[in-house]
Amino acid sequence: MTKLLEDKELARLVDHLAPVMTQFELSMIVARNAQEQWSLRCAAASGMKGYSTIDLLVLHMIGYGSKRVADICFSLNIEDTHIVSYALKKLQRAKLVENARIGKDTFFLPTAEGKAFIEGYKATRQRFLIRALAKFSGGELDLEQLTDMLRVLSGLYEQAARSAENAQAI
């Protein structure tokens, strides 16, 4: 009997959350699109036009320190390594990134020009985005808490995706 009540309560909760989740997902999509537009325009304002959001994200990740393709894919949750490899080739041709072999691994790191772009991007971001965020929130916005919540949501979406994939295979 207790199990049945739990199932009924869960069903009621699912019914309640479904339409709210739709609005939440739409808001995430809009935020993602706005963030991509921002990245491209910030990059252009920093002197780097003609690159995709993925190119910029890959360069940004390498800016944190030398990385392997697998490290970048893991950090950005990209399953198709070809996407990252293509971005790296574009960045290498532009002399923003170089590679170094250490044993069997190839590591990528920013060139002096790549570092200069990253610093310019950070300065532009601070001038326009972070400054506006600070004014808007008055320091009340807890970005660390929001970051943690987004990581938890990412994990939930990944688990749900694996479950759906497994259910489809059955």
Side-chain angles (χ1 to χ4, degrees), residues 36 38-44 48 51-62 76 87 91 117-118 121:
E36 284 187 19
W38 158 254
S39 294
L40 295 172
R41 291 176 182 162
C42 181
M48 193 169 156
Y51 292 89
S52 71
T53 304
I54 293 293
D55 299 335
L56 298 171
L57 287 170
V58 167
L59 180 58
H60 187 77
M61 292 309 303
I62 292 170
L76 297 175
L91 296 168
F117 165 73
I118 291 167
Y121 184 96

Side-chain angles (χ1 to χ4, degrees), residues 66-158:
S66 65
K67 302 267 192 272
R68 298 172 302 155
V69 171
D71 300 329
I72 298 166
C73 288
F74 179 77
S75 296
L76 297 175
N77 195 22
I78 295 174
E79 293 179 358
D80 187 353
T81 59
H82 293 92
I83 293 170
V84 171
S85 295
Y86 180 69
L88 287 166
K89 285 178 186 172
K90 283 172 62 177
L91 296 168
Q92 283 181 299
R93 279 194 305 268
K95 307 226 184 299
L96 296 169
V97 169
E98 58 191 4
N99 65 0
R101 299 237 349 134
I102 301 174
K104 295 179 182 180
D105 291 320
T106 302
F107 287 84
F108 294 87
L109 53 151
T111 62
E113 191 175 336
K115 287 178 186 176
F117 165 73
I118 291 167
E119 289 307 312
Y121 184 96
K122 286 179 181 179
T124 303
R125 187 178 84 178
Q126 186 166 337
R127 181 175 172 205
F128 295 105
L129 182 62
I130 296 174
R131 188 181 207 81
L133 186 61
K135 282 182 183 178
F136 172 73
S137 69
E140 298 286 321
L141 183 63
D142 188 345
L143 286 177
E144 290 175 6
Q145 183 182 13
L146 192 54
T147 299
D148 289 343
M149 179 61 87
L150 287 172
R151 284 188 180 125
V152 167
L153 281 169
S154 295
L156 289 171
Y157 271 98
E158 288 172 12

